[in-house]
Amino acid sequence: MTDITVPNLPSRDFDVTLAFYGKFGFGLAHRDDGWLILRRGELRLEFFAYPDLVPEDSSFMCSVRVDDVDELYRQIKATGVMEKTAGYPRLHAVRMQPWGQRAGFLIDPDGTQLNLIENVS
């Protein structure tokens, strides 16, 4: 097995989290009362139960690095997640960032920000 690092993110409701991420290809890998693991190819997101989380107060985030960030962005947008500056969930378009890489941003229903970053060779 390859060594990996996996983000641990909050979920107010595992059913909502599974339904949201499932729309753009994340499938259930594990679930119990306190932990949820979703997979999409080699990507993995792990969620812990946090029913009292206030999305507006959340500072949780992680980076998702993929070869085709435009395709991932299109898949998310096709599920109905809108580009907007407030509210949950929402998207921010993929563009060249000040640090020199192309990236977009997804803020999920719990206020967690996923940095959608294009891999560089």
Side-chain angles (χ1 to χ4, degrees):
M1 177 178 219
T2 303
D3 294 342
I4 60 172
T5 299
V6 179
N8 299 160
L9 307 172
S11 171
R12 292 177 295 162
D13 182 316
F14 286 163
D15 290 332
V16 171
T17 298
L18 179 57
F20 177 74
Y21 285 94
K23 290 178 186 175
F24 47 92
F26 280 89
L28 180 63
H30 170 82
R31 181 177 179 169
D32 62 30
D33 290 340
W35 209 254
L36 175 69
I37 302 174
L38 304 179
R39 292 189 76 134
R40 182 182 188 270
E42 295 302 312
L43 298 176
R44 186 163 62 191
L45 300 174
E46 299 191 17
F47 296 88
F48 57 93
Y50 193 162
D52 297 328
L53 176 69
V54 176
E56 295 80 9
D57 295 337
S58 178
S59 60
F60 290 95
M61 65 172 28
C62 75
S63 294
V64 176
R65 297 177 182 271
V66 295
D67 291 335
D68 192 344
V69 71
D70 295 307
E71 179 59 24
L72 177 57
Y73 184 85
R74 278 191 293 275
Q75 289 173 356
I76 296 168
K77 192 169 183 179
T79 70
V81 179
M82 304 296 295
E83 287 183 15
K84 54 186 180 178
T85 58
Y88 308 98
R90 69 179 184 267
L91 273 169
H92 297 264
V94 174
R95 60 180 49 112
M96 184 59 73
Q97 299 298 321
W99 66 82
Q101 287 181 281
R102 293 183 69 247
F105 304 93
L106 168 66
I107 293 78
D108 79 4
D110 294 307
T112 297
Q113 178 175 307
L114 281 76
N115 306 315
L116 310 174
I117 303 172
E118 183 175 64
N119 283 332
V120 293
S121 45

